[in-house]
Amino acid sequence: MASTNPALLLLLFITVFSFLKPSTAAGIATYWGQQSDDTEGTLEAACATGNYQFVNIAFLSTFGNNQQPVLNLAAHCDPDSTCSRYSSQIKACQAQNVKVFLSIGGQRGSYSLSSPQDAQQVADFLWNTYLGGQSATRPLGDAVLDGIDFDIEQGTDQFWSDLARALAAYSSQKKVYLSAAPQCPFPSPSGDVRNQLLPAIREGLFDYVWVQFYNNEQCQYGANADALLARWNEWTQVTTNTIFLGLPAAASGAAPSGGYIPPDILTSQILPSIKSSPKYGGVMLWDRFYDKQSGYSDAIKGSIN
């Protein structure tokens, strides 16, 4: 009987395992929707760059507390008549393995949840209007979005966990990915409500968390990266699989209160430090408009993994 070479068996095992192991490649997420096709470009054009793993359509800016939901895509389209033309563009993005989410909330707008029942009603609306359900009114046409992004920057931390759980329950029919975009203070100072999503994040309800390391002096990049890295290390302790470093994509305009990191500093000083975390998922950029102007994602994409 021929003897078996242990080294050959080990090599065969590693080769087979490499094919079975799920991909953990890091990527870039961005937001699209708050400008116009002329200035920001179309959704399909953003995905066609090949730079993004996730694109958040921003924003559903009014919802909850018995309010009529309002989709606000600025000068791109009128949700009552012309936004359905983006259905084919959403599908084109998905065909390129770009996950497309609807971002709810934002810095401006009118949104809140008054009870667990209100959260369930909002979840039902999102499922039927933008996800895998059915509704006579679908502003983005028949395209089925991949998930919902929570960019909650107003109000209290009440009932966001209920909304996340209600949306996740629909995954029994079709996977609903959930992302959260908290601001970087961690934990919030006493009386500071800038981390409305922290209780829901701590429950492990989100697939992706892209933390906004900008417009917050105490935890964004400044004279050095010490504060940013300290807060990053705290965020990686929360119950979630994947954390993204959220940054402004341009030196001016994108983040009036600061946090911009020049691409060469990011790639040489920041990414080497944070990529050691098993929860590192990549970089989130605000937003496609500024990224298109600055070429930020082009400059960093080779260093993300």
Side-chain angles (χ1 to χ4, degrees), residues 32-34 57-62 70-75 77 79 83 108-109 130:
W32 173 94
Q34 286 302 291
I57 296 176
F59 292 101
L60 186 75
S61 59
T62 301
V70 174
L71 178 68
N72 178 358
L73 297 185
C77 59
C83 289
R108 301 177 182 86
Y130 296 100

Side-chain angles (χ1 to χ4, degrees), residues 69-248:
V70 174
L71 178 68
N72 178 358
L73 297 185
H76 282 289
C77 59
D78 178 354
D80 291 331
S81 58
T82 60
C83 289
S84 61
R85 62 192 171 93
Y86 285 103
S87 178
S88 61
Q89 297 194 29
I90 293 167
K91 294 173 185 177
C93 290
Q94 293 168 330
Q96 297 175 69
N97 295 318
V98 178
K99 287 184 172 63
V100 184
F101 296 172
L102 174 67
S103 186
I104 63 174
Q107 188 177 19
R108 301 177 182 86
S110 174
Y111 54 87
S112 63
L113 297 174
S114 59
S115 66
Q117 294 74 25
D118 187 23
Q120 182 65 59
Q121 290 176 1
V122 172
D124 295 343
F125 166 80
L126 291 170
W127 170 257
N128 289 319
T129 310
Y130 296 100
L131 299 169
Q134 295 184 348
S135 172
T137 303
R138 288 182 66 96
L140 296 176
D142 63 355
V144 177
L145 297 180
D146 297 292
I148 301 296
D149 172 66
F150 287 52
D151 184 13
I152 306 304
E153 302 184 33
Q154 299 180 14
T156 74
D157 61 6
Q158 296 295 300
F159 311 117
W160 300 113
S161 297
D162 296 282
L163 178 57
R165 282 192 293 268
L167 286 166
Y170 277 113
S171 289
S172 62
Q173 300 180 55
K174 183 185 185 301
K175 172 62 180 176
V176 177
Y177 291 95
L178 299 178
S179 63
Q183 298 185 63
C184 59
F186 183 94
S188 295
S190 178
D192 188 342
V193 295
R194 283 179 293 177
N195 273 332
Q196 292 91 337
L197 293 173
L198 193 54
I201 293 170
R202 282 174 162 160
E203 289 186 42
L205 297 173
F206 295 98
D207 299 286
Y208 310 99
V209 177
W210 20 77
V211 184
Q212 298 181 40
F213 281 89
Y214 50 92
N215 290 333
N216 287 281
E217 184 177 357
Q218 67 269 46
C219 48
Q220 66 195 20
Y221 180 82
N224 56 55
D226 292 350
L228 181 150
L229 293 175
R231 297 295 82 73
W232 168 269
N233 290 334
E234 289 181 314
W235 276 105
T236 58
Q237 303 306 307
V238 302
T239 308
T240 189
N241 291 327
T242 311
I243 305 285
F244 282 62
L245 180 72
L247 299 173

